[in-house]
């Protein structure tokens, strides 16, 4: 219904934003993570919105990027994860961290969210494992353009091979995925990197 809203921040709470658009104040439900990234009161911000409608409720849920909104929409398709649960998960982990946890089967990381038990977290992994990919972490979905990590960090095959190599070295899948993503963010002006190049940069990131 409403793709996004752009207006002045009137008030920020841990789970709610009041945004004034054309002299109308909108209550928008947000995650704690989003609240922590918002500029101050009186500043202008663009919020991507998801409209949730039930017989007795009409809520707007807000996100700073289309990526966050997209992962939220997938979360609420999981049985037992409503909008409240989706925001709870995104309050404790980023969209990338959630993808890493789903792909690596790390139910304990997801279960750290308030109100989300291990069984529910396992259901999230089971239902969404085939609907998320490591490749998404390298695509700048907030702008529709590729980030440096996507355009300069070799091919998807090379990235996946680097993740597998790090896992073979004893790192957890989520650690490996995060390191490869970080390597991409630091790979300025490098094109066509192969697995060895990516692995070297990822290890440099892990070892500080």
């Amino acid at each position: 219904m409403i793709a996004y809203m752009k207006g002045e921040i009137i008030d920020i709470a841990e789970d709610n934003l009041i945004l004034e658009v054309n002299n109308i104040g909108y209550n928008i439900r947000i995650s704690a993570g989003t609240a922590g990234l918002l500029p101050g009161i009186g500043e202008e911000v663009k919020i991507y919105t998801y409209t949730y409608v039930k017989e007795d409720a009409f809520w707007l849920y807000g996100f700073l990027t289309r990526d966050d909104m997209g992962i939220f929409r997938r979360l609420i398709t999981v049985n037992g994860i409503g909008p409240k649960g989706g925001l709870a998960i995104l309050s404790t982990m980023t969209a990338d961290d959630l993808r890493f946890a789903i792909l690596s089967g790390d139910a304990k990381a997801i279960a750290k969210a308030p109100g989300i038990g291990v069984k529910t977290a396992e259901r999230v992994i089971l239902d969404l494992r085939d609907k998320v990919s490591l490749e998404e972490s390298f695509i700048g979905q907030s702008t529709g353009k590729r980030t440096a990590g996507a355009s300069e960090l070799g091919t998807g095959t090379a990235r996946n091979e680097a993740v597998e190599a790090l896992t073979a070295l004893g790192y957890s899948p989520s650690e490996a995925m995060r390191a490869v993503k970080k390597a991409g963010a630091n790979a300025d002006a490098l094109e066509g990197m192969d697995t060895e190049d990516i692995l070297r940069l990822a290890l440099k990131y892990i070892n500080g």
Side-chain angles (χ1 to χ4, degrees):
M1 296 178 66
I2 302 174
Y4 66 85
M5 306 176 75
K6 190 174 183 180
E8 179 184 346
I9 296 174
I10 302 302
D11 189 43
I12 304 171
E14 183 177 341
D15 61 354
N16 193 77
L17 163 70
I18 298 178
L19 190 70
E20 183 177 314
V21 182
N22 295 327
N23 296 317
I24 299 176
Y26 293 89
N27 276 308
I28 304 174
R29 295 292 179 93
I30 57 174
S31 69
T34 295
L37 293 174
L38 287 170
I41 291 174
E43 298 292 328
E44 186 176 78
V45 69
K46 181 179 180 179
I47 296 291
Y48 294 93
T49 57
Y50 173 79
T51 305
Y52 180 73
V53 180
K54 289 183 66 176
E55 291 181 1
D56 58 347
F58 184 100
W59 289 105
L60 288 174
Y61 290 84
F63 310 89
L64 286 171
T65 69
R66 286 198 297 265
D67 187 28
D68 287 342
M69 184 172 69
I71 203 74
F72 172 81
R73 294 182 69 167
R74 293 179 192 179
L75 274 171
I76 62 177
T77 65
V78 178
N79 187 29
I81 301 288
K84 183 177 179 180
L87 283 190
I89 292 173
L90 292 177
S91 290
T92 59
M93 59 201 318
T94 67
D96 272 352
D97 287 338
L98 177 57
R99 268 190 286 265
F100 298 156
I102 290 170
L103 293 171
S104 62
D106 190 353
K108 290 184 178 179
I110 300 173
K112 290 179 181 178
I116 304 298
V118 173
K119 288 186 177 180
T120 301
E122 290 173 345
R123 191 178 305 123
V124 169
I125 292 170
L126 181 64
D127 287 1
L128 299 186
R129 179 170 284 164
D130 294 334
K131 299 178 182 178
V132 301
S133 68
L134 180 60
E135 183 73 15
E136 288 179 312
S137 295
F138 296 91
I139 298 175
Q141 295 187 24
S142 63
T143 62
K145 298 179 180 179
R146 286 183 175 270
T147 62
S151 62
E152 297 167 1
L153 189 58
T155 66
T157 298
R159 290 194 295 270
N160 292 336
E161 289 177 349
V163 169
E164 292 174 1
L166 288 169
T167 304
L169 289 173
Y171 297 101
S172 71
S174 58
E175 286 177 322
M177 294 174 193
R178 192 172 293 109
V180 170
K181 171 72 183 296
K182 187 68 175 182
N186 293 331
D188 295 333
L190 293 177
E191 297 182 3
M193 295 176 65
D194 60 19
T195 302
E196 185 177 346
D197 294 328
I198 299 170
L199 182 59
R200 183 176 65 253
L201 282 173
L203 286 169
K204 183 178 180 181
Y205 162 66
I206 291 174
N207 295 325

